[in-house]
Amino acid sequence: MRIPLAVLGSTLLLASSALAQVPAEVEACRLSGLAALKERSPSLEHLTFDIQSLAISKADTKVEDTPIRMVVMGEAYLQREKSDKPNRFICLISDKGKVVLTFFTEQ
Protein backbone atom coordinates (compact mmCIF):
# COMPACT_ATOMS: atom_id res chain seq x y z
CA MET A 1 0.00 0.00 0.00
CA ARG A 2 2.86 2.39 0.75
CA ILE A 3 4.56 1.84 -2.62
CA PRO A 4 1.53 2.94 -4.73
CA LEU A 5 1.12 6.01 -2.52
CA ALA A 6 4.80 6.86 -2.91
CA VAL A 7 4.57 6.48 -6.69
CA LEU A 8 1.42 8.63 -6.79
CA GLY A 9 3.08 11.26 -4.61
CA SER A 10 6.21 11.44 -6.75
CA THR A 11 4.10 11.59 -9.94
CA LEU A 12 2.11 14.52 -8.56
CA LEU A 13 5.33 16.24 -7.49
CA LEU A 14 6.86 15.84 -10.96
CA ALA A 15 3.68 17.10 -12.64
CA SER A 16 3.48 20.16 -10.41
CA SER A 17 7.17 20.97 -10.90
CA ALA A 18 6.73 20.71 -14.69
CA LEU A 19 3.84 23.16 -14.51
CA ALA A 20 5.86 25.48 -12.30
CA GLN A 21 8.48 25.77 -15.05
CA VAL A 22 6.02 27.27 -17.53
CA PRO A 23 6.78 31.01 -17.81
CA ALA A 24 4.22 33.52 -16.56
CA GLU A 25 4.00 34.86 -20.12
CA VAL A 26 2.13 31.67 -21.10
CA GLU A 27 -0.68 32.58 -18.69
CA ALA A 28 -0.66 36.12 -20.10
CA CYS A 29 -1.12 34.59 -23.58
CA ARG A 30 -4.02 32.47 -22.33
CA LEU A 31 -5.77 35.40 -20.66
CA SER A 32 -5.37 37.76 -23.61
CA GLY A 33 -6.47 35.00 -25.99
CA LEU A 34 -9.55 34.28 -23.89
CA ALA A 35 -10.45 37.98 -23.83
CA ALA A 36 -10.11 38.24 -27.63
CA LEU A 37 -12.13 35.07 -28.23
CA LYS A 38 -14.88 36.24 -25.84
CA GLU A 39 -15.33 39.38 -27.94
CA ARG A 40 -16.43 37.17 -30.84
CA SER A 41 -18.08 34.41 -28.77
CA PRO A 42 -19.30 35.82 -25.44
CA SER A 43 -20.53 32.40 -24.30
CA LEU A 44 -16.98 31.01 -24.30
CA GLU A 45 -15.95 30.39 -20.71
CA HIS A 46 -12.71 28.41 -20.82
CA LEU A 47 -9.48 28.37 -22.75
CA THR A 48 -7.01 25.67 -21.82
CA PHE A 49 -3.51 25.29 -23.23
CA ASP A 50 -2.13 21.79 -23.71
CA ILE A 51 1.06 22.21 -21.70
CA GLN A 52 2.63 19.16 -23.37
CA SER A 53 2.29 20.74 -26.83
CA LEU A 54 3.82 24.12 -25.95
CA ALA A 55 6.84 25.36 -27.84
CA ILE A 56 8.28 28.34 -25.97
CA SER A 57 11.09 30.12 -27.77
CA LYS A 58 13.11 33.17 -26.87
CA ALA A 59 13.33 35.60 -29.75
CA ASP A 60 15.31 38.66 -30.73
CA THR A 61 13.26 40.20 -33.50
CA LYS A 62 10.79 43.00 -34.19
CA VAL A 63 7.35 43.49 -35.65
CA GLU A 64 7.76 46.97 -37.12
CA ASP A 65 9.10 48.91 -34.10
CA THR A 66 7.90 46.46 -31.42
CA PRO A 67 10.60 44.16 -30.04
CA ILE A 68 9.54 40.51 -29.72
CA ARG A 69 11.35 38.53 -27.04
CA MET A 70 9.26 35.35 -26.79
CA VAL A 71 7.10 33.23 -29.09
CA VAL A 72 4.70 30.67 -27.66
CA MET A 73 3.03 28.08 -29.90
CA GLY A 74 0.90 25.06 -29.14
CA GLU A 75 -2.57 23.61 -28.93
CA ALA A 76 -5.51 25.15 -27.13
CA TYR A 77 -8.91 23.79 -26.21
CA LEU A 78 -11.86 26.15 -26.16
CA GLN A 79 -13.78 23.87 -23.82
CA ARG A 80 -12.66 21.76 -20.87
CA GLU A 81 -13.03 18.39 -22.63
CA LYS A 82 -10.03 17.26 -24.61
CA SER A 83 -12.45 15.38 -26.84
CA ASP A 84 -12.97 18.68 -28.68
CA LYS A 85 -10.63 19.36 -31.59
CA PRO A 86 -7.68 21.44 -30.49
CA ASN A 87 -6.92 24.81 -32.02
CA ARG A 88 -3.36 25.81 -32.81
CA PHE A 89 -2.23 29.14 -31.42
CA ILE A 90 0.72 31.47 -31.60
CA CYS A 91 1.45 34.25 -29.15
CA LEU A 92 4.06 37.00 -29.48
CA ILE A 93 5.39 38.69 -26.34
CA SER A 94 7.27 41.99 -26.27
CA ASP A 95 10.43 42.81 -24.38
CA LYS A 96 8.29 44.24 -21.55
CA GLY A 97 6.32 41.00 -21.14
CA LYS A 98 3.26 42.40 -22.88
CA VAL A 99 1.27 40.17 -25.23
CA VAL A 100 1.49 41.72 -28.70
CA LEU A 101 -0.52 39.09 -30.60
CA THR A 102 -2.43 35.92 -29.87
CA PHE A 103 -3.75 34.11 -32.94
CA PHE A 104 -5.86 30.93 -33.04
CA THR A 105 -6.64 28.67 -35.95
CA GLU A 106 -8.52 25.40 -36.29
CA GLN A 107 -6.42 22.43 -37.37
XYZ file of all heavy atoms in Angstrom:
819
model
N 0.823 -1.197 0.000
C 0.000 0.000 0.000
C 0.867 1.261 0.000
O 0.526 2.230 -0.600
C -0.935 -0.052 1.214
C -1.849 1.129 1.306
S -3.076 1.036 -0.015
C -4.194 2.239 0.521
N 2.007 1.220 0.675
C 2.864 2.394 0.749
C 3.541 2.681 -0.581
O 3.758 3.826 -0.931
C 3.907 2.230 1.836
C 3.333 2.319 3.202
C 4.408 2.260 4.232
N 3.813 2.336 5.542
C 4.467 2.143 6.653
N 5.749 1.847 6.614
N 3.870 2.238 7.800
N 3.880 1.644 -1.343
C 4.565 1.842 -2.618
C 3.676 2.585 -3.613
O 4.112 3.570 -4.200
C 5.080 0.506 -3.179
C 6.201 -0.010 -2.276
C 5.557 0.669 -4.608
C 6.687 -1.385 -2.631
N 2.386 2.169 -3.804
C 1.535 2.937 -4.730
C 1.362 4.396 -4.296
O 1.337 5.298 -5.125
C 0.211 2.189 -4.715
C 0.560 0.792 -4.333
C 1.720 0.934 -3.389
N 1.259 4.638 -2.992
C 1.122 6.015 -2.520
C 2.394 6.814 -2.793
O 2.333 7.983 -3.168
C 0.792 6.043 -1.030
C -0.624 5.592 -0.662
C -0.800 5.584 0.843
C -1.656 6.478 -1.315
N 3.543 6.178 -2.637
C 4.802 6.863 -2.913
C 4.934 7.188 -4.395
O 5.374 8.274 -4.772
C 5.986 6.013 -2.465
N 4.521 6.247 -5.246
C 4.569 6.480 -6.692
C 3.618 7.607 -7.066
O 3.971 8.505 -7.833
C 4.228 5.183 -7.465
C 4.044 5.456 -8.942
C 5.307 4.147 -7.235
N 2.398 7.570 -6.512
C 1.425 8.628 -6.793
C 1.950 9.984 -6.329
O 1.875 10.970 -7.053
C 0.092 8.323 -6.114
C -0.997 9.373 -6.279
C -1.362 9.538 -7.748
C -2.221 9.018 -5.468
N 2.539 10.015 -5.138
C 3.081 11.264 -4.608
C 4.202 11.818 -5.460
O 4.250 13.015 -5.762
N 5.098 10.962 -5.917
C 6.209 11.440 -6.753
C 5.710 11.875 -8.124
O 6.227 12.825 -8.697
C 7.286 10.370 -6.880
O 6.785 9.228 -7.539
N 4.677 11.189 -8.652
C 4.100 11.588 -9.937
C 3.471 12.973 -9.831
O 3.663 13.815 -10.700
C 3.045 10.561 -10.401
O 3.658 9.287 -10.480
C 2.447 10.942 -11.732
N 2.728 13.208 -8.760
C 2.107 14.522 -8.564
C 3.175 15.595 -8.387
O 3.036 16.702 -8.898
C 1.170 14.499 -7.361
C -0.106 13.679 -7.537
C -0.879 13.618 -6.223
C -0.968 14.252 -8.645
N 4.238 15.280 -7.686
C 5.331 16.235 -7.487
C 5.994 16.590 -8.809
O 6.240 17.757 -9.097
C 6.359 15.669 -6.508
C 7.536 16.565 -6.158
C 7.040 17.842 -5.492
C 8.494 15.840 -5.244
N 6.251 15.578 -9.650
C 6.859 15.843 -10.957
C 5.932 16.658 -11.840
O 6.367 17.572 -12.536
C 7.215 14.526 -11.647
C 8.391 13.760 -11.065
C 8.526 12.401 -11.739
C 9.670 14.549 -11.199
N 4.642 16.353 -11.821
C 3.681 17.097 -12.638
C 3.601 18.544 -12.194
O 3.578 19.458 -13.012
C 2.307 16.439 -12.567
N 3.571 18.783 -10.886
C 3.480 20.158 -10.413
C 4.763 20.927 -10.681
O 4.727 22.113 -10.976
C 3.132 20.199 -8.924
O 4.163 19.626 -8.168
N 5.922 20.261 -10.617
C 7.173 20.968 -10.899
C 7.279 21.285 -12.387
O 7.826 22.307 -12.771
C 8.377 20.165 -10.436
O 8.510 18.980 -11.184
N 6.726 20.428 -13.251
C 6.725 20.711 -14.691
C 5.856 21.922 -14.983
O 6.205 22.769 -15.793
C 6.234 19.502 -15.471
N 4.716 22.005 -14.309
C 3.842 23.160 -14.515
C 4.467 24.429 -13.961
O 4.259 25.509 -14.501
C 2.481 22.924 -13.855
C 1.617 21.844 -14.503
C 0.334 21.641 -13.699
C 1.300 22.177 -15.941
N 5.235 24.308 -12.900
C 5.863 25.475 -12.298
C 6.920 26.070 -13.213
O 7.270 27.226 -13.089
C 6.477 25.099 -10.954
N 7.443 25.286 -14.166
C 8.482 25.769 -15.052
C 7.925 26.537 -16.249
O 8.688 27.096 -17.014
C 9.328 24.599 -15.528
C 10.104 23.944 -14.410
C 10.839 22.710 -14.873
O 10.752 22.311 -16.018
N 11.564 22.086 -13.968
N 6.628 26.534 -16.425
C 6.020 27.265 -17.534
C 6.094 28.755 -17.198
O 5.661 29.179 -16.126
C 4.556 26.819 -17.752
C 3.887 27.653 -18.814
C 4.510 25.346 -18.120
N 6.658 29.576 -18.093
C 6.779 31.014 -17.813
C 5.430 31.702 -17.608
O 4.417 31.273 -18.168
C 7.460 31.557 -19.073
C 8.083 30.383 -19.730
C 7.240 29.201 -19.375
N 5.439 32.752 -16.826
C 4.222 33.516 -16.558
C 3.638 34.091 -17.843
O 2.432 34.328 -17.939
C 4.529 34.629 -15.560
N 4.472 34.314 -18.839
C 3.996 34.855 -20.117
C 2.990 33.924 -20.789
O 2.126 34.376 -21.528
C 5.173 35.100 -21.071
C 6.089 36.232 -20.650
C 7.217 35.783 -19.721
O 7.214 34.637 -19.257
O 8.101 36.621 -19.453
N 3.084 32.626 -20.516
C 2.127 31.672 -21.096
C 0.728 31.968 -20.557
O -0.249 31.963 -21.299
C 2.559 30.218 -20.804
C 1.478 29.232 -21.233
C 3.872 29.918 -21.503
N 0.624 32.232 -19.269
C -0.681 32.579 -18.692
C -1.170 33.910 -19.254
O -2.359 34.086 -19.507
C -0.601 32.633 -17.163
C -1.905 32.995 -16.487
C -3.042 31.986 -16.678
O -2.850 30.916 -17.286
O -4.146 32.276 -16.209
N -0.268 34.850 -19.479
C -0.664 36.124 -20.100
C -1.222 35.873 -21.503
O -2.216 36.498 -21.905
C 0.527 37.078 -20.153
N -0.614 34.959 -22.246
C -1.123 34.593 -23.578
C -2.517 33.998 -23.471
O -3.414 34.322 -24.254
C -0.206 33.579 -24.250
S 1.367 34.235 -24.798
N -2.718 33.115 -22.501
C -4.016 32.469 -22.329
C -5.095 33.500 -21.987
O -6.172 33.499 -22.576
C -3.943 31.389 -21.240
C -5.198 30.502 -21.194
C -5.194 29.597 -19.989
N -5.387 30.332 -18.752
C -6.565 30.795 -18.314
N -7.653 30.618 -19.020
N -6.638 31.444 -17.180
N -4.788 34.397 -21.067
C -5.772 35.400 -20.656
C -6.103 36.374 -21.775
O -7.271 36.719 -21.984
C -5.279 36.150 -19.415
C -5.205 35.311 -18.143
C -4.555 36.105 -17.022
C -6.574 34.809 -17.740
N -5.095 36.828 -22.512
C -5.374 37.761 -23.609
C -6.107 37.043 -24.736
O -6.989 37.621 -25.379
C -4.098 38.420 -24.124
O -3.311 37.493 -24.822
N -5.766 35.788 -24.972
C -6.470 35.003 -25.986
C -7.920 34.789 -25.616
O -8.819 34.921 -26.455
N -8.176 34.474 -24.356
C -9.553 34.283 -23.894
C -10.354 35.568 -24.045
O -11.493 35.543 -24.512
C -9.557 33.807 -22.437
C -10.931 33.567 -21.814
C -11.711 32.507 -22.584
C -10.769 33.161 -20.349
N -9.757 36.694 -23.689
C -10.453 37.980 -23.826
C -10.799 38.263 -25.290
O -11.917 38.695 -25.602
C -9.600 39.107 -23.251
N -9.867 37.996 -26.201
C -10.115 38.237 -27.628
C -11.186 37.294 -28.162
O -12.066 37.718 -28.929
C -8.816 38.055 -28.417
N -11.135 36.032 -27.766
C -12.135 35.070 -28.226
C -13.524 35.385 -27.678
O -14.529 35.204 -28.370
C -11.729 33.648 -27.824
C -10.524 33.076 -28.571
C -10.055 31.793 -27.902
C -10.854 32.837 -30.030
N -13.585 35.883 -26.446
C -14.877 36.239 -25.840
C -15.535 37.415 -26.548
O -16.755 37.550 -26.525
C -14.714 36.528 -24.355
C -14.570 35.253 -23.531
C -14.507 35.544 -22.056
C -15.878 35.761 -21.538
N -16.408 34.820 -20.604
N -14.750 38.270 -27.180
C -15.328 39.379 -27.943
C -16.176 38.848 -29.094
O -17.213 39.403 -29.418
C -14.237 40.302 -28.483
C -13.618 41.182 -27.436
C -12.550 42.090 -28.006
O -12.476 42.267 -29.244
O -11.771 42.633 -27.208
N -15.707 37.768 -29.722
C -16.431 37.172 -30.845
C -17.460 36.147 -30.395
O -18.475 35.962 -31.049
C -15.461 36.519 -31.828
C -14.660 37.550 -32.604
C -13.860 36.904 -33.687
N -12.707 36.236 -33.069
C -12.052 35.238 -33.624
N -12.408 34.766 -34.778
N -11.017 34.706 -33.010
N -17.180 35.457 -29.290
C -18.077 34.415 -28.768
C -18.239 34.618 -27.273
O -17.538 33.988 -26.471
C -17.503 33.025 -29.038
O -17.351 32.802 -30.399
N -19.153 35.499 -26.862
C -19.300 35.818 -25.436
C -19.620 34.614 -24.550
O -19.349 34.641 -23.356
C -20.455 36.816 -25.408
C -20.519 37.380 -26.777
C -20.042 36.299 -27.701
N -20.179 33.559 -25.115
C -20.531 32.395 -24.302
C -19.314 31.536 -23.951
O -19.405 30.662 -23.085
C -21.563 31.532 -25.034
O -21.011 31.027 -26.229
N -18.189 31.780 -24.582
C -16.978 31.008 -24.304
C -16.516 31.292 -22.879
O -16.348 32.444 -22.486
C -15.868 31.368 -25.297
C -14.582 30.592 -25.151
C -14.794 29.141 -25.556
C -13.502 31.213 -25.993
N -16.331 30.232 -22.112
C -15.952 30.391 -20.705
C -14.524 29.969 -20.408
O -13.910 30.473 -19.493
C -16.899 29.573 -19.820
C -18.317 30.095 -19.818
C -18.446 31.445 -19.140
O -17.731 31.703 -18.150
O -19.256 32.251 -19.621
N -14.001 28.994 -21.174
C -12.713 28.412 -20.824
C -11.791 28.359 -22.030
O -12.223 28.109 -23.152
C -12.888 26.994 -20.289
C -13.786 26.909 -19.106
N -13.405 27.319 -17.857
C -15.056 26.476 -18.992
C -14.404 27.135 -17.026
N -15.417 26.629 -17.694
N -10.530 28.565 -21.765
C -9.480 28.367 -22.748
C -8.352 27.661 -22.017
O -7.813 28.181 -21.033
C -8.990 29.702 -23.322
C -7.799 29.628 -24.269
C -8.149 28.806 -25.510
C -7.346 31.008 -24.662
N -8.028 26.470 -22.472
C -7.008 25.665 -21.820
C -5.894 25.385 -22.809
O -6.161 24.960 -23.932
C -7.605 24.323 -21.342
O -8.733 24.594 -20.521
C -6.594 23.528 -20.553
N -4.658 25.634 -22.410
C -3.512 25.290 -23.234
C -3.068 23.874 -22.890
O -3.026 23.496 -21.722
C -2.347 26.246 -22.997
C -2.531 27.618 -23.587
C -1.637 28.622 -23.280
C -3.565 27.919 -24.452
C -1.770 29.890 -23.815
C -3.710 29.177 -24.994
C -2.816 30.166 -24.679
N -2.717 23.111 -23.905
C -2.134 21.791 -23.707
C -0.650 22.008 -23.409
O 0.137 22.287 -24.310
C -2.336 20.940 -24.963
C -1.721 19.561 -24.839
O -1.109 19.252 -23.790
O -1.846 18.781 -25.789
N -0.297 21.910 -22.147
C 1.064 22.206 -21.698
C 2.084 21.319 -22.413
O 3.192 21.757 -22.724
C 1.169 22.046 -20.164
C 0.190 22.977 -19.449
C 2.588 22.277 -19.683
C 0.392 24.445 -19.721
N 1.710 20.082 -22.711
C 2.632 19.155 -23.374
C 2.971 19.586 -24.796
O 4.022 19.254 -25.319
C 2.028 17.739 -23.408
C 1.710 17.177 -22.044
C 2.936 17.013 -21.171
O 4.006 16.678 -21.660
N 2.797 17.266 -19.886
N 2.072 20.341 -25.434
C 2.291 20.742 -26.831
C 3.011 22.082 -26.969
O 3.338 22.481 -28.083
C 0.946 20.824 -27.568
O 0.225 21.990 -27.173
N 3.247 22.772 -25.870
C 3.819 24.119 -25.948
C 5.243 24.123 -26.489
O 6.074 23.308 -26.094
C 3.829 24.793 -24.581
C 2.492 25.198 -23.994
C 2.710 25.917 -22.672
C 1.696 26.053 -24.937
N 5.481 25.049 -27.384
C 6.836 25.364 -27.840
C 7.075 26.809 -27.428
O 6.413 27.722 -27.923
C 6.953 25.199 -29.344
N 7.983 27.005 -26.493
C 8.277 28.339 -25.967
C 9.686 28.694 -26.412
O 10.648 28.016 -26.050
C 8.172 28.365 -24.431
C 6.776 27.908 -23.997
C 8.495 29.751 -23.893
C 6.656 27.640 -22.521
N 9.795 29.749 -27.214
C 11.091 30.124 -27.771
C 11.415 31.570 -27.455
O 10.577 32.447 -27.631
C 11.081 29.950 -29.292
O 10.797 28.629 -29.634
N 12.643 31.794 -27.015
C 13.114 33.170 -26.866
C 13.384 33.706 -28.261
O 13.763 32.966 -29.165
C 14.366 33.222 -26.019
C 14.089 32.878 -24.573
C 15.293 33.085 -23.713
C 14.906 32.760 -22.268
N 15.994 33.007 -21.349
N 13.156 34.991 -28.436
C 13.331 35.597 -29.751
C 14.067 36.929 -29.595
O 14.070 37.531 -28.523
C 11.977 35.826 -30.411
N 14.663 37.359 -30.670
C 15.310 38.665 -30.727
C 14.983 39.251 -32.091
O 15.808 39.272 -32.996
C 16.816 38.528 -30.531
C 17.509 39.876 -30.429
O 16.807 40.894 -30.217
O 18.739 39.922 -30.569
N 13.733 39.689 -32.217
C 13.256 40.197 -33.500
C 12.290 41.349 -33.247
O 12.073 41.735 -32.099
C 12.591 39.058 -34.315
O 12.336 39.514 -35.630
C 11.318 38.566 -33.664
N 11.745 41.899 -34.304
C 10.794 43.003 -34.192
C 9.634 42.795 -35.139
O 9.788 42.186 -36.200
C 11.452 44.338 -34.543
C 12.441 44.831 -33.540
C 12.945 46.204 -33.930
C 13.865 46.737 -32.848
N 14.235 48.129 -33.093
N 8.489 43.331 -34.755
C 7.349 43.489 -35.648
C 7.197 45.003 -35.761
O 6.813 45.668 -34.802
C 6.067 42.843 -35.091
C 4.882 43.168 -35.974
C 6.244 41.345 -34.945
N 7.595 45.521 -36.918
C 7.757 46.966 -37.123
C 8.694 47.492 -36.043
O 9.842 47.101 -36.008
C 6.410 47.661 -37.196
C 5.636 47.258 -38.437
C 4.481 48.161 -38.760
O 4.294 49.201 -38.112
O 3.756 47.820 -39.699
N 8.218 48.358 -35.135
C 9.097 48.915 -34.100
C 8.967 48.206 -32.754
O 9.603 48.607 -31.784
C 8.786 50.403 -33.900
C 9.174 51.235 -35.111
O 10.066 50.786 -35.862
O 8.591 52.312 -35.308
N 8.144 47.158 -32.689
C 7.903 46.464 -31.422
C 8.842 45.270 -31.275
O 8.780 44.329 -32.071
C 6.438 45.973 -31.348
O 5.563 47.077 -31.563
C 6.143 45.331 -30.015
N 9.706 45.298 -30.257
C 10.601 44.163 -30.040
C 9.821 42.934 -29.575
O 8.924 43.047 -28.739
C 11.541 44.628 -28.924
C 11.286 46.076 -28.747
C 9.958 46.384 -29.329
N 10.140 41.780 -30.123
C 9.535 40.508 -29.722
C 10.616 39.679 -29.051
O 11.679 39.451 -29.630
C 8.957 39.747 -30.940
C 7.938 40.600 -31.686
C 8.375 38.409 -30.516
C 6.725 40.999 -30.874
N 10.351 39.263 -27.808
C 11.350 38.526 -27.042
C 10.957 37.078 -26.783
O 11.785 36.280 -26.377
C 11.610 39.212 -25.695
C 12.204 40.584 -25.848
C 13.590 40.509 -26.474
N 14.129 41.824 -26.690
C 14.386 42.356 -27.870
N 14.150 41.671 -28.964
N 14.860 43.567 -27.990
N 9.674 36.728 -27.013
C 9.257 35.348 -26.792
C 8.126 35.008 -27.742
O 7.271 35.843 -28.026
C 8.793 35.140 -25.347
C 8.463 33.695 -25.009
S 7.940 33.470 -23.291
C 9.484 33.728 -22.434
N 8.155 33.770 -28.243
C 7.095 33.234 -29.094
C 6.615 31.952 -28.431
O 7.423 31.085 -28.077
C 7.602 32.939 -30.524
C 6.502 32.329 -31.369
C 8.154 34.205 -31.167
N 5.303 31.855 -28.250
C 4.697 30.666 -27.656
C 3.750 30.076 -28.682
O 2.911 30.792 -29.235
C 3.925 31.007 -26.356
C 3.306 29.751 -25.749
C 4.828 31.713 -25.362
N 3.904 28.775 -28.960
C 3.030 28.077 -29.904
C 2.565 26.787 -29.256
O 3.268 26.220 -28.422
C 3.768 27.742 -31.191
C 4.260 28.939 -31.951
S 5.164 28.483 -33.437
C 6.690 27.878 -32.733
N 1.382 26.327 -29.664
C 0.901 25.059 -29.135
C -0.547 24.827 -29.489
O -1.084 25.427 -30.426
N -1.171 23.943 -28.728
C -2.568 23.607 -28.934
C -3.398 24.148 -27.783
O -2.960 24.140 -26.636
C -2.752 22.091 -29.034
C -2.088 21.509 -30.259
C -2.239 20.010 -30.353
O -2.672 19.365 -29.380
O -1.917 19.478 -31.424
N -4.594 24.608 -28.124
C -5.512 25.150 -27.134
C -6.877 24.509 -27.313
O -7.284 24.195 -28.429
C -5.623 26.666 -27.289
N -7.551 24.325 -26.197
C -8.906 23.790 -26.208
C -9.853 24.885 -25.730
O -9.611 25.509 -24.712
C -9.010 22.557 -25.299
C -8.199 21.397 -25.825
C -6.863 21.245 -25.481
C -8.771 20.480 -26.683
C -6.122 20.189 -25.973
C -8.034 19.413 -27.185
C -6.711 19.280 -26.820
O -5.977 18.237 -27.324
N -10.914 25.095 -26.498
C -11.864 26.146 -26.162
C -12.892 25.682 -25.145
O -13.638 26.484 -24.627
C -12.563 26.654 -27.416
C -11.614 27.190 -28.500
C -12.415 27.728 -29.678
C -10.687 28.252 -27.956
N -12.924 24.420 -24.857
C -13.782 23.869 -23.819
C -12.909 23.014 -22.920
O -11.762 22.740 -23.223
C -14.915 23.049 -24.429
C -15.794 23.821 -25.377
C -16.506 25.009 -24.737
O -16.793 25.014 -23.550
N -16.769 26.032 -25.525
N -13.435 22.560 -21.821
C -12.664 21.759 -20.874
C -12.354 20.359 -21.386
O -11.324 19.806 -21.073
C -13.406 21.651 -19.543
C -13.340 22.925 -18.760
C -12.668 22.644 -17.450
N -12.647 23.839 -16.638
C -11.538 24.462 -16.318
N -10.389 24.023 -16.736
N -11.574 25.531 -15.580
N -13.246 19.758 -22.173
C -13.025 18.385 -22.626
C -11.957 18.346 -23.700
O -11.998 19.118 -24.644
C -14.310 17.770 -23.192
C -15.410 17.619 -22.171
C -16.311 18.837 -22.134
O -16.529 19.459 -23.176
O -16.780 19.163 -21.043
N -11.044 17.423 -23.573
C -10.031 17.260 -24.607
C -10.568 16.459 -25.779
O -9.853 16.183 -26.719
C -8.780 16.605 -24.040
C -7.966 17.570 -23.208
C -6.577 17.047 -22.987
C -5.735 18.119 -22.329
N -4.349 17.740 -22.241
N -11.855 16.079 -25.713
C -12.447 15.382 -26.844
C -12.743 16.375 -27.972
O -12.917 15.974 -29.115
C -13.731 14.656 -26.417
O -14.672 15.579 -25.928
N -12.806 17.651 -27.648
C -12.967 18.676 -28.676
C -11.695 18.736 -29.514
O -10.613 18.394 -29.056
C -13.187 20.058 -28.053
C -14.489 20.149 -27.282
O -15.387 19.324 -27.550
O -14.593 21.032 -26.426
N -11.829 19.192 -30.753
C -10.635 19.358 -31.592
C -9.811 20.523 -31.054
O -10.344 21.580 -30.753
C -11.038 19.653 -33.035
C -11.478 18.431 -33.804
C -11.778 18.801 -35.225
C -10.581 18.501 -36.075
N -10.845 18.733 -37.500
N -8.517 20.331 -30.968
C -7.684 21.440 -30.488
C -7.521 22.501 -31.575
O -7.646 22.224 -32.759
C -6.346 20.776 -30.182
C -6.309 19.587 -31.071
C -7.733 19.132 -31.224
N -7.270 23.706 -31.133
C -6.924 24.805 -32.022
C -5.436 25.057 -31.853
O -4.903 24.950 -30.750
C -7.680 26.080 -31.640
C -9.138 25.997 -31.977
O -9.553 26.388 -33.042
N -9.935 25.457 -31.058
N -4.763 25.404 -32.913
C -3.360 25.815 -32.809
C -3.352 27.301 -32.467
O -4.238 28.046 -32.867
C -2.644 25.598 -34.129
C -2.435 24.142 -34.416
C -0.999 23.951 -34.870
N -0.701 22.565 -35.026
C 0.071 21.895 -34.194
N 0.595 22.511 -33.162
N 0.348 20.636 -34.392
N -2.334 27.713 -31.732
C -2.226 29.141 -31.425
C -0.761 29.554 -31.487
O 0.152 28.748 -31.377
C -2.817 29.465 -30.049
C -1.934 29.072 -28.899
C -1.024 29.975 -28.354
C -2.004 27.805 -28.361
C -0.210 29.607 -27.308
C -1.188 27.424 -27.319
C -0.295 28.331 -26.788
N -0.597 30.843 -31.678
C 0.723 31.469 -31.599
C 0.550 32.760 -30.815
O -0.457 33.449 -30.948
C 1.346 31.729 -32.993
C 2.776 32.238 -32.842
C 0.493 32.682 -33.807
C 3.582 32.174 -34.120
N 1.518 33.060 -29.993
C 1.454 34.247 -29.149
C 2.825 34.923 -29.190
O 3.849 34.275 -28.996
C 1.097 33.825 -27.724
S 1.007 35.177 -26.541
N 2.824 36.213 -29.458
C 4.058 37.000 -29.478
C 4.093 37.895 -28.245
O 3.114 38.573 -27.938
C 4.120 37.865 -30.739
C 3.999 37.135 -32.074
C 4.044 38.140 -33.220
C 5.077 36.088 -32.223
N 5.243 37.917 -27.568
C 5.391 38.692 -26.343
C 6.533 39.678 -26.507
O 7.618 39.324 -26.974
C 5.653 37.749 -25.150
C 4.482 36.772 -25.038
C 5.851 38.528 -23.868
C 4.726 35.622 -24.121
N 6.270 40.931 -26.115
C 7.270 41.992 -26.271
C 8.346 41.906 -25.203
O 8.272 41.103 -24.272
C 6.591 43.366 -26.200
O 6.239 43.665 -24.860
N 9.322 42.783 -25.330
C 10.426 42.809 -24.376
C 9.978 43.223 -22.978
O 10.663 42.982 -22.006
C 11.558 43.706 -24.867
C 11.120 45.139 -25.079
O 9.899 45.392 -25.216
O 11.999 46.010 -25.126
N 8.807 43.823 -22.865
C 8.290 44.236 -21.555
C 7.311 43.211 -20.987
O 6.628 43.478 -20.014
C 7.630 45.601 -21.668
C 8.632 46.676 -22.053
C 8.004 48.014 -22.226
C 9.111 48.987 -22.611
N 8.619 50.193 -23.200
N 7.211 42.047 -21.619
C 6.321 40.996 -21.143
C 4.878 41.173 -21.560
O 4.015 40.438 -21.108
N 4.626 42.137 -22.421
C 3.258 42.399 -22.877
C 2.935 41.517 -24.080
O 3.758 41.348 -24.984
C 3.115 43.868 -23.269
C 1.738 44.244 -23.737
C 1.661 45.705 -24.105
C 0.289 46.012 -24.670
N 0.237 47.326 -25.265
N 1.712 40.976 -24.098
C 1.268 40.173 -25.230
C 0.966 41.104 -26.394
O 0.150 42.012 -26.288
C 0.034 39.334 -24.866
C -0.502 38.596 -26.086
C 0.363 38.352 -23.754
N 1.651 40.902 -27.501
C 1.486 41.722 -28.695
C 0.420 41.122 -29.608
O -0.367 41.835 -30.209
C 2.829 41.854 -29.450
C 2.666 42.597 -30.752
C 3.873 42.514 -28.563
N 0.407 39.783 -29.701
C -0.518 39.094 -30.600
C -0.789 37.702 -30.074
O 0.133 37.013 -29.633
C 0.091 38.975 -32.005
C -0.650 38.078 -32.987
C -1.869 38.797 -33.548
C 0.268 37.635 -34.105
N -2.052 37.310 -30.095
C -2.426 35.918 -29.872
C -3.353 35.552 -31.014
O -4.359 36.218 -31.245
C -3.138 35.717 -28.520
O -2.313 36.200 -27.478
C -3.422 34.246 -28.269
N -2.994 34.501 -31.748
C -3.745 34.107 -32.944
C -4.102 32.636 -32.835
O -3.255 31.812 -32.496
C -2.897 34.353 -34.193
C -3.581 33.988 -35.469
C -4.505 34.851 -36.048
C -3.311 32.779 -36.088
C -5.151 34.507 -37.229
C -3.946 32.430 -37.267
C -4.872 33.298 -37.841
N -5.371 32.311 -33.083
C -5.856 30.931 -33.035
C -6.327 30.510 -34.403
O -6.888 31.306 -35.151
C -7.050 30.816 -32.061
C -6.679 31.096 -30.637
C -6.737 32.382 -30.135
C -6.273 30.073 -29.815
C -6.402 32.640 -28.826
C -5.931 30.320 -28.504
C -6.000 31.608 -28.006
N -6.133 29.228 -34.713
C -6.638 28.672 -35.953
C -7.065 27.225 -35.708
O -6.461 26.535 -34.890
C -5.598 28.736 -37.089
O -6.184 28.270 -38.290
C -4.368 27.929 -36.781
N -8.105 26.793 -36.396
C -8.518 25.399 -36.288
C -7.566 24.550 -37.093
O -7.047 24.984 -38.116
C -9.941 25.221 -36.817
C -10.975 25.865 -35.929
C -12.383 25.624 -36.409
O -12.600 24.687 -37.217
O -13.273 26.366 -35.998
N -7.340 23.330 -36.643
C -6.423 22.431 -37.369
C -7.104 21.842 -38.570
O -8.246 21.646 -38.641
C -5.959 21.313 -36.446
C -5.005 21.817 -35.434
C -4.312 20.666 -34.719
O -4.278 19.549 -35.171
N -3.744 20.971 -33.578
